Amino acid sequence: MTATIEPIVGRYVNLDYQGRPHRIYFEEVGQGVPLLCLHTAGADGRQYRALLNDAEVTRDFRVVVFDMPWHGKSSPPAGWENEEYRLTTEGYTALVMTVARALGLERPVAMGCSIGGRIVLQLALQHGAELRCVIGLQASGRV
């Protein structure tokens, strides 16, 4: 078997979210329209591995996948051991927009699966002017 190296680049961005420093892991590949992918709750960006490796997609899209705090390779914030993890609608929408701005994503497409699919609907309502469009996978406006 011949070894191949995937073109995906993984990095960390240090940013302020909810008044606290966070270290967020993200992977990206491609060029063109920014496509920000939101993973399923309890999962991480690995669920988008096939998309990140799809040359037809990455030819026209800069695909960016980040792990939410407390997920995958993103660390919980300092002091996490003294609090309960709570993911709220307000917090999640703020996180997505904070990451998009920190990475310089100009009018990205936001695509999410499951809870990520549900949050893109909220993103469209609250931040529609800052987004190119939203794509909800397994999304629902009401559960």
Side-chain angles (χ1 to χ4, degrees), residues 1 5 19 21 29 33 38 43 45 47 59 71-72 84-85 110 118 141:
M1 184 167 116
I5 296 175
V29 66
V33 175
L38 312 176
Q47 78 182 75
R59 178 183 60 233
H71 294 75
E84 179 182 354
Y85 172 68
R118 183 174 171 135

Side-chain angles (χ1 to χ4, degrees), residues 82-97:
N82 298 317
E83 62 189 68
E84 179 182 354
Y85 172 68
R86 296 183 45 86
L87 181 61
T88 65
T89 299
E90 297 76 24
Y92 196 3
T93 55
L95 174 65
V96 172
M97 296 310 296

Side-chain angles (χ1 to χ4, degrees), residues 41-106:
D44 57 54
R46 288 177 294 178
Q47 78 182 75
Y48 289 104
R49 177 70 59 204
L51 186 68
L52 287 161
N53 280 301
D54 189 323
E56 288 186 47
V57 173
T58 60
R59 178 183 60 233
D60 299 315
F61 291 89
R62 175 185 172 196
V63 182
V64 178
V65 179
F66 73 94
D67 292 345
M68 293 190 301
W70 302 75
H71 294 75
K73 292 183 178 181
S74 289
S75 304
W80 65 270
E81 67 280 0
N82 298 317
E83 62 189 68
E84 179 182 354
Y85 172 68
R86 296 183 45 86
L87 181 61
T88 65
T89 299
E90 297 76 24
Y92 196 3
T93 55
L95 174 65
V96 172
M97 296 310 296
T98 298
V99 169
R101 291 176 189 126
L103 297 179
L105 305 181
E106 188 174 325

Side-chain angles (χ1 to χ4, degrees), residues 3-60:
T4 59
I5 296 175
E6 297 178 0
I8 302 162
V9 175
R11 293 186 269 191
Y12 287 90
V13 60
N14 293 285
L15 51 80
D16 186 64
Y17 163 63
Q18 294 185 326
R20 298 165 72 181
H22 281 73
R23 184 175 185 248
I24 304 294
Y25 179 76
F26 71 99
E27 294 180 336
E28 67 178 323
V29 66
Q31 59 188 9
V33 175
L35 172 59
L36 186 59
C37 300
L38 312 176
H39 63 75
T40 303
D44 57 54
R46 288 177 294 178
Q47 78 182 75
Y48 289 104
R49 177 70 59 204
L51 186 68
L52 287 161
N53 280 301
D54 189 323
E56 288 186 47
V57 173
T58 60
R59 178 183 60 233
D60 299 315

